[in-house]
């Protein structure tokens, strides 16, 4: 017979697809009518659905929740809450948004309705971790436990695969530690084992189809079960370690859980072999700790603390901190034991104790290759190569790649290299037409939202274009609609940037660049100008035209194979370099031009589509033009160099 105590306080739970539509009713059940809506970076259509569902109940919104619930943010949200005289909190997001809601509820005793969008499980616990002056302090109280949780599977379906894996393993960690908790009982055991098997089955299905509704439903169901375990029984070494690493070394929450869990399990395994056997069965693995490691590895999840930014020099201190105060754990926690555990986690080693994953030699091969990067002196090189190899191996496996398909790929890349030269950049074209250049570019822009968006360099830039004076004509007399360009370069504070070196280049009326026209004499439609004291450059040129990228090489074959056209929307290129500022490479697109919606390199951004206004009559510099000419006015904003 097993002796146990079970005690729980639970939230009301509404679970399903489309349950967002129940939010209004659930707020009403609590007797409330003035909602403060809390968000943090959930997709725009999700926030729109919540607003629609709540309608006029929403009296204020706050979207500033961040990880680890810093009190400064809570105070900002509290001011919004009080200004709006809200009588209820509705939080839509991951554990960070739930944390903010809990912090507000603790201070105001207002009821909470949480719609979770990750698998963190915080929504069903009476626990809050708050950060003040860089220290995270955890407390538990009845006022913290949300009254109602509305689980809408649709809202978790947009969580990207990487975050789904780490968040899923965060839930797995609650279930694993509940099973060997001193307070475990038959009910939490059942909940935990159910959660583990749902997570182990669902995560691999997401790798095939990240939106798989049944897999998403399983994961959210598991998140609820695992969160309930976390709320009911005490956790052990794993949670303590993750708390220490997150709090003292600012490591990301779910990722840290993902890396540490297999190693904490391996540490505890000798003390609870029977529990580990049950976990292994639920996972469908031969061994629990290495089973979790293999699951994470097969999904491309993080496996090493080093890759999360943990300094090796901090390991000993983390071990001391984790072992300093005694707490319940099935195996005695010693500083040396934890140091060895952390060293394994830092290096990303596969926990020993279990057999190599039988039947999956590919996973072993991937691990071997990744391990071969372990001593790379540049950590960034190691991270990038590790991830590249994992994804490439995953690509080979997921698509069941044949030898001849891989040979074709090698041949394709070989031909891409062979056709490239000083004036033909096939690799740039490949990167552009696969959208990779624009993806890098989008990331770059997102870091400096106050500057003019950048755009891809494209394959036709030539180093060192001819210097020309302001106001000159760079068209070399080629036919086309005359174009007067008058652009200013300002910094992010609006101050003119003098002496900026501005390279411009463009296509001719027929859509060709000079380097594509061997009969042309010298560089034309490209030049280097320097901005004056007002940060201004002016020059004459001709209206650029739409044009096909060179499609007589491997990239053209790829476009043909998928039925894509090779055209670029008409545009003018700019590369702006100024001392003390970040380089800006961008393009201005002709409003109303062809292919703006289907630019073959995915380079068009709304902010860069501008009027090239038609004019007749006098020109800005008195040049005589019969008939129509165009004028481009634009202001670029460039960012100062950081630091
Ligand atoms: P999070 O809430 O910070 O979310 C992680 C990222 O996912 C964010 O960038 C968020 O914008 C994005 N995101 C969330 N849902 C999304 C969706 N559906 N689609 C696309 N993007 C989405 O991270 P988390 O792991 O959910 O929560 C971590 C926080 O929760 C930590 O502060 C941790 O301490 C706390 N936590 C508390 C408890 C508890 O019981 N008190 C339990 C677990 C976690």
């Amino acid at each position: 017979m097993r002796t146990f105590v079970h005690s729980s306080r639970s939230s009301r739970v509404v679970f399903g697809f489309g349950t967002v539509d129940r939010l209004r009713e659930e707020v009403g059940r609590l007797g409330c009518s003035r909602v403060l809506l809390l968000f943090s970076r959930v997709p725009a259509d999700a926030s729109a659905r919540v607003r629609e569902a709540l309608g006029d109940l929403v009296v204020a919104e706050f979207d500033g929740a961040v990880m680890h619930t810093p009190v400064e943010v809570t105070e900002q949200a509290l001011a919004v809450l009080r200004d709006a005289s809200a009588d209820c909190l509705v939080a839509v997001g991951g554990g960070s948004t739930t944390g903010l809601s809990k912090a507000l509820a603790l201070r105001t005793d207002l009821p909470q309705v949480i719609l979770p969008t990750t698998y963190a499980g915080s929504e069903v616990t009476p626990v809050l971790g708050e950060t003040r002056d860089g220290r995270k302090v955890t407390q538990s109280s009845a006022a913290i436990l949300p009254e109602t949780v509305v689980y809408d599977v649709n809202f978790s379906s947009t969580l990207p695969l990487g975050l789904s894996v780490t968040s899923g393993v965060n839930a797995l960690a609650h279930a694993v530690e509940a099973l060997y908790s001193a307070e475990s009982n038959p009910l939490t055991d059942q909940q935990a084992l159910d959660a583990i098997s749902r997570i182990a089955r669902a995560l691999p299905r997401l790798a095939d189809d990240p939106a798989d509704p049944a897999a998403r439903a399983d994961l959210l169901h598991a998140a609820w079960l695992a969160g309930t375990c976390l709320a009911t029984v005490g956790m052990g070494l794993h949670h303590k370690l993750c708390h220490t690493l997150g709090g003292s070394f600012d490591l990301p929450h779910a990722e840290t859980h993902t890396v540490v869990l297999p190693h904490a399990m391996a540490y505890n395994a000798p003390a609870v072999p029977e529990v580990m056997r049950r976990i292994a069965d639920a996972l469908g693995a031969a061994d629990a700790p290495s089973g979790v490691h293999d699951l994470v590895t097969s999904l491309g999840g993080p496996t090493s603390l080093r890759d999360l930014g943990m300094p090796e020099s901090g390991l000993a201190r983390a071990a001391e901190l984790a072992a300093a105060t005694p707490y319940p754990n099935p195996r005695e926690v010693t500083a040396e034991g934890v140091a060895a555990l952390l060293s394994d986690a830092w290096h990303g080693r596969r926990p020993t104790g279990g057999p190599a994953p039988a039947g999956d030699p590919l996973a072993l091969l991937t691990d071997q290759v990744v391990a071969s990067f372990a001593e790379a002196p540049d950590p960034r090189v190691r991270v990038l190569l590790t991830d590249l190899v994992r994804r490439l191996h995953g690509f080979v496996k997921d698509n069941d790649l044949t030898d001849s398909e891989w040979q074709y790929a090698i041949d394709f890349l070989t031909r891409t290299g062979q056709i490239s030269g000083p004036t033909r950049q096939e690799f740039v074209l490949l990167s552009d037409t696969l959208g990779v250049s624009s993806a890098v570019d989008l990331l770059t822009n997102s870091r400096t939202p106050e500057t003019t968006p950048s755009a891809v360099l494209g394959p036709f830039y030539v180093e060192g274009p001819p210097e020309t004076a302001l106001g000159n004509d760079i068209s070399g007399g080629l036919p086309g609609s005359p174009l007067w360009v008058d652009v200013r370069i300002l910094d992010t504070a609006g101050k003119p940037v003098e002496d900026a070196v501005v390279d411009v280049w463009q296509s001719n009326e027929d859509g060709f660049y000079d380097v594509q026209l061997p009969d042309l004499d010298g560089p034309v439609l490209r030049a280097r100008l320097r901005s004056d004291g007002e940060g201004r450059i002016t020059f004459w040129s001709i209206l650029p035209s739409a044009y096909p990228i060179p499609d007589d090489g491997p990239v053209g074959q790829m476009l043909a194979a998928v039925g894509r056209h090779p055209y670029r929307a008409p545009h003018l290129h700019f590369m702006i370099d100024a001392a003390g500022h970040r380089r800006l490479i961008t393009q201005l697109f002709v409003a109303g031009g062809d292919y703006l919606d289907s630019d073959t390199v995915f380079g068009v951004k709304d902010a860069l589509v501008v009027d090239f206004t038609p004019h007749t009559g006098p020109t800005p510099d008195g040049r005589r033009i019969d008939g129509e000419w165009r004028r481009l006015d634009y202001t670029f904003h460039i960012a100062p160099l950081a630091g």
Side-chain angles (χ1 to χ4, degrees):
M1 193 205 73
R2 182 172 176 186
T3 306
F4 61 87
V5 174
H6 176 73
S7 154
S8 76
R9 248 188 262 115
S10 53
S11 311
R12 173 180 162 81
V13 169
V14 177
F15 189 98
F17 287 88
T19 47
V20 64
D21 291 331
R22 304 269 294 272
L23 275 179
R24 196 179 169 91
E25 180 190 333
E26 292 302 326
V27 170
R29 271 182 77 94
L30 295 168
C32 300
S33 58
R34 299 183 62 79
V35 168
L36 170 63
L37 186 52
L38 305 171
F39 285 119
S40 69
R41 288 166 301 167
V42 288
D45 50 345
S47 41
R49 281 290 285 118
V50 174
R51 282 190 200 102
E52 191 191 330
L54 286 167
D56 59 4
L57 296 187
V58 178
V59 292
E61 292 189 12
F62 185 85
D63 66 357
V66 292
M67 206 170 271
H68 305 310
T69 327
V71 288
E72 310 83 76
V73 174
T74 303
E75 272 151 22
Q76 288 166 21
L78 199 56
V80 176
L81 183 157
R82 292 204 165 121
D83 273 359
S85 306
D87 64 4
C88 175
L89 298 157
V90 173
V92 180
S96 300
T97 317
T98 305
L100 175 61
S101 174
K102 288 172 160 183
L104 291 171
L106 181 67
R107 287 161 175 78
T108 59
D109 216 20
L110 290 188
Q112 312 171 62
V113 179
I114 313 284
L115 195 157
T117 61
T118 70
Y119 308 120
S122 172
E123 63 279 358
V124 286
T125 78
V127 180
L128 166 66
E130 288 189 286
T131 314
R132 186 188 297 273
D133 302 328
R135 270 197 67 222
K136 191 166 177 177
V137 178
T138 302
Q139 58 185 310
S140 180
S141 102
I144 293 172
L145 181 72
E147 277 67 12
T148 307
V149 182
V150 175
Y151 286 105
D152 186 334
V153 181
N154 294 334
F155 276 67
S156 59
S157 301
T158 51
L159 193 64
L161 180 63
L163 283 174
S164 302
V165 171
T166 53
S167 195
V169 177
N170 187 190
L172 189 66
H174 309 329
V176 163
E177 291 229 299
L179 281 163
Y180 55 61
S181 167
E183 297 163 18
S184 71
N185 65 61
L187 187 58
T188 51
D189 280 6
Q190 243 178 35
Q191 290 169 327
L193 288 170
D194 188 5
I196 293 170
S197 71
R198 281 176 194 273
I199 293 167
R201 273 181 294 147
L203 281 180
R205 299 213 307 274
L206 287 194
D208 293 333
D209 173 8
D212 183 330
R216 287 291 181 183
D218 262 342
L219 279 170
L220 201 59
H221 188 148
W224 166 52
L225 292 172
T228 305
C229 292
L230 175 68
T232 316
V233 300
M235 297 284 120
L237 171 66
H238 170 78
H239 279 74
K240 172 77 181 170
L241 262 181
C242 291
H243 186 85
T244 304
L245 292 168
S248 306
F249 299 92
D250 202 25
L251 299 190
H253 179 82
E255 289 86 342
T256 306
H257 273 271
T258 306
V259 171
V260 172
L261 183 62
H263 302 284
M265 289 168 72
Y267 183 90
N268 281 333
V272 281
E274 179 52 25
V275 171
M276 288 298 159
R277 191 196 55 71
R278 297 173 82 192
I279 295 174
D281 287 350
L283 286 170
D287 168 73
S290 52
V292 172
H293 173 89
D294 295 341
L295 177 69
V296 171
T297 305
S298 69
L299 295 165
T303 52
S304 100
L305 289 177
R306 174 173 52 191
D307 292 350
L308 300 187
M310 172 81 187
E312 192 172 16
S313 56
L315 293 179
R317 202 174 119 240
E320 270 167 35
L321 285 173
T325 40
Y327 50 91
N329 187 63
R331 183 175 165 197
E332 189 193 356
V333 177
T334 62
E336 307 77 65
V338 177
L341 179 172
L342 284 177
S343 168
D344 286 344
W346 192 82
H347 283 98
R349 296 184 183 117
R350 184 171 183 273
T352 49
D360 194 1
L362 183 50
L364 272 185
L365 172 70
T366 306
D367 279 355
Q368 272 174 2
V369 180
V370 166
S372 75
F373 306 138
E375 303 309 324
D378 182 337
R380 184 69 179 156
V381 168
R382 190 175 54 236
V383 169
L384 294 182
L385 274 179
T386 297
D387 196 42
L388 182 67
V389 163
R390 286 202 192 287
R391 286 172 201 248
L392 273 178
H393 286 209
F395 172 83
V396 168
K397 178 178 174 216
D398 296 347
N399 295 289
D400 204 8
L401 214 66
T402 65
D403 188 47
S404 61
E405 283 167 340
W406 186 239
Q407 282 309 325
Y408 183 91
I410 301 270
D411 176 55
F412 178 89
L413 291 174
T414 307
R415 287 185 286 120
T416 302
Q418 284 166 341
I419 203 170
S420 297
T423 57
R424 172 86 186 239
Q425 290 283 3
E426 196 76 358
F427 273 110
V428 177
L429 279 185
L430 184 58
S431 159
D432 291 353
T433 49
L434 292 177
V436 184
S437 310
S438 282
V440 174
D441 198 51
L442 281 175
L443 266 186
T444 309
N445 286 325
S446 69
R447 291 184 198 114
T448 52
E450 68 290 358
T451 64
T452 303
S454 53
V456 300
L457 175 69
F460 298 116
Y461 177 68
V462 178
E463 289 285 350
E467 294 241 11
T468 198
L470 298 183
N472 273 359
D473 188 343
I474 69 164
S475 71
L478 290 179
S481 276
L483 170 68
W484 173 252
V485 179
D486 184 343
V487 299
R488 289 193 77 196
I489 296 136
L490 306 183
D491 66 14
T492 42
K495 222 172 107 238
V497 180
E498 188 177 358
D499 211 25
V501 176
V502 184
D503 289 355
V504 295
W505 67 108
Q506 66 165 95
S507 65
N508 71 7
E509 195 182 36
D510 301 322
F512 291 106
Y513 285 76
D514 54 357
V515 290
Q516 296 173 288
L517 300 168
D519 296 341
L520 261 187
D521 194 14
V524 282
L525 292 174
R526 63 177 73 240
R528 172 167 290 175
L529 301 103
R530 282 172 197 273
S531 60
D532 65 13
E534 293 182 334
R536 167 172 273 128
I537 64 161
T538 50
F539 61 94
W540 280 102
S541 186
I542 54 172
L543 190 66
S545 308
Y547 63 85
I549 59 165
D551 61 353
D552 55 344
V555 170
Q557 286 166 11
M558 179 190 76
L559 294 181
V562 293
R564 262 172 61 182
H565 72 69
Y567 283 91
R568 293 227 52 205
H571 58 272
L572 193 52
H573 290 269
F574 291 84
M575 182 192 285
I576 303 173
D577 273 304
H581 292 80
R582 274 197 225 153
R583 167 181 282 183
L584 174 69
I585 298 174
T586 193
Q587 306 174 12
L588 296 179
F589 293 86
V590 182
D594 292 333
Y595 306 109
L596 283 172
D597 291 340
S598 63
D599 184 52
T600 199
V601 308
F602 307 96
V604 178
K605 296 187 178 83
D606 288 347
L608 299 176
V609 179
V610 286
D611 287 328
F612 286 53
T613 335
H615 290 270
T616 49
T619 58
D621 65 347
R623 175 180 178 176
R624 263 194 66 95
I625 293 181
D626 299 328
E628 187 181 271
W629 53 278
R630 301 279 190 130
R631 177 176 179 128
L632 166 64
D633 292 285
Y634 194 78
T635 301
F636 293 101
H637 290 272
I638 62 174
L641 282 174

